[in-house]
Amino acid sequence: MPFDSILIPVEEAEAAATLLPLARALLPQGDGEITLLGLVSLPPDVSLSHGAAAARALRQRLIALAAAHPELPLRVRPRIRVSHTPWEEVLHFLQSNRVSLMLLPWDGDPEGWLLGVPLSRVLQEAPCDLLLVRGSIDTPWPRILLPVRGGPYTQLALEVALTLAEAWDGQVTLLHAASEARRIAAAFRPLARQFPRITRQMVAHREVVQAVLEALPHHDGIVMGASTRPGGDGPVSYTHLRAHETG
C-alpha cells in the first residue's frame, strides 16, 4: 500500500519539522501529499475562545514551515483546531478524509498520552495506520533493523522499512527468534528474493528484546510493528520507528 496521503497532527511546529524528512522518504516519488493539521490544546476549565491567539500564531508558523520546504507537497489546513481534547479533532478529520498513514512523535512511554488522551485510546480508535516516531531522524538510515514475529502487524513494519530503504538507498536486516526460525524463513524467503533491500537475516538464540538491544548499535534505526488490539485482531496496525542514538 503506498503512503500517498500522510497526516501530521501538529501541536508544535518544531516537532512537525522533525517529521518532514521521514514523511518525504515515505511518499511515492513524484506523488502524494503531506497534510499538516494544526491543533491547540486547552485545559477543560478554559474557554475555547482563549485559544484564538495561539491558533493564529500556530497557523503562521505552519505557513512559514511550508514556505521553507517548497520541494515538498505540503498542505496546511487553514483552520487550526482549538479543543480540550485534540485527539477528537484528529479523529473527526480522519473519518472525513482519506489518510494512508499518520505520523506522531512519541516519547516511548506505552502508558503515556498523545493528543490529550492515553496512547491506548489513539491506537484503539484510529481508522488508519500509525507510525510512532521516537527521536529525531536527521539523516538517512543505510542500515535498518526490522524485528519480526510473523504476526498480522508485521506487514506495516515491513512496508515502512522497505520504503525507507528504497528512498535512502539502505539495507534491511530481519531479526527473529530461533524458535520461530522455520516459520519466519518460510514466510520471508520469497520476500528476500522479491525485495533485494532485505540483505541480512539474524536469528536470536536468546531473549528477543536482548537480541534487539545488541543488534541496534550496528544499525542506524529500528522499525517495529505491533497490533493496536490485544491478540492482533484489530484492522489497524501501528509501527514504532526509532533512530539509534550514539554517545
Side-chain angles (χ1 to χ4, degrees), residues 212-233:
V212 169
L213 293 176
E214 292 177 3
L216 185 54
H218 304 289
H219 296 79
D220 302 287
I222 184 171
V223 179
M224 299 181 65
S227 169
T228 59
R229 294 173 175 81
D233 57 350

Side-chain angles (χ1 to χ4, degrees), residues 123 129-132 153 156 224-228 236-240:
L123 300 181
D129 288 334
L130 311 180
L131 187 56
L132 302 180
Y153 48 79
L156 177 62
M224 299 181 65
S227 169
T228 59
V236 177
S237 295
Y238 76 91
T239 286
H240 165 206

Side-chain angles (χ1 to χ4, degrees), residues 33-239:
E33 183 176 72
I34 303 168
T35 298
L36 303 179
L37 182 68
L39 303 161
V40 172
S41 177
L42 295 177
D45 58 345
V46 175
S47 171
L48 295 180
S49 61
H50 285 77
R56 287 193 296 270
L58 179 58
R59 182 186 299 109
Q60 292 305 312
R61 287 195 292 271
L62 293 182
I63 291 173
L65 179 61
H69 294 277
E71 77 285 1
L72 295 181
L74 284 175
R75 180 186 182 192
V76 177
R77 300 296 294 193
R79 182 171 72 86
I80 303 298
R81 274 72 170 172
V82 180
S83 175
H84 297 130
T85 312
W87 167 242
E88 294 181 356
E89 297 290 335
V90 175
L91 184 58
H92 177 74
F93 181 88
L94 291 171
Q95 292 169 339
S96 306
N97 297 269
R98 191 185 73 81
V99 173
S100 56
L101 186 68
M102 179 167 61
L103 306 187
L104 290 173
W106 183 44
D107 63 6
D109 181 4
E111 304 298 326
W113 286 48
L114 282 178
L115 301 172
V117 298
L119 171 61
S120 59
R121 179 177 167 186
V122 174
L123 300 181
Q124 289 285 339
E125 297 180 352
C128 70
D129 288 334
L130 311 180
L131 187 56
L132 302 180
V133 184
R134 185 176 179 185
S136 178
I137 302 175
D138 301 317
T139 58
W141 295 353
R143 299 162 300 175
I144 299 171
L145 181 63
L146 177 63
V148 295
R149 288 185 292 177
Y153 48 79
T154 301
Q155 181 178 351
L156 177 62
L158 177 65
E159 290 176 351
V160 168
L162 290 175
T163 300
L164 293 179
E166 193 65 34
W168 289 338
D169 193 23
Q171 300 177 344
V172 176
T173 298
L174 295 179
L175 185 152
H176 58 80
S179 60
E180 300 285 326
R182 182 173 299 178
R183 184 167 63 88
I184 293 293
F188 283 93
R189 189 178 295 113
L191 292 177
R193 292 194 294 265
Q194 182 179 358
F195 300 105
R197 295 291 177 180
I198 302 177
T199 59
R200 187 181 180 196
Q201 180 173 312
M202 299 178 63
V203 179
H205 295 281
R206 61 184 72 82
E207 167 61 36
V208 174
V209 173
Q210 183 60 34
V212 169
L213 293 176
E214 292 177 3
L216 185 54
H218 304 289
H219 296 79
D220 302 287
I222 184 171
V223 179
M224 299 181 65
S227 169
T228 59
R229 294 173 175 81
D233 57 350
V236 177
S237 295
Y238 76 91
T239 286

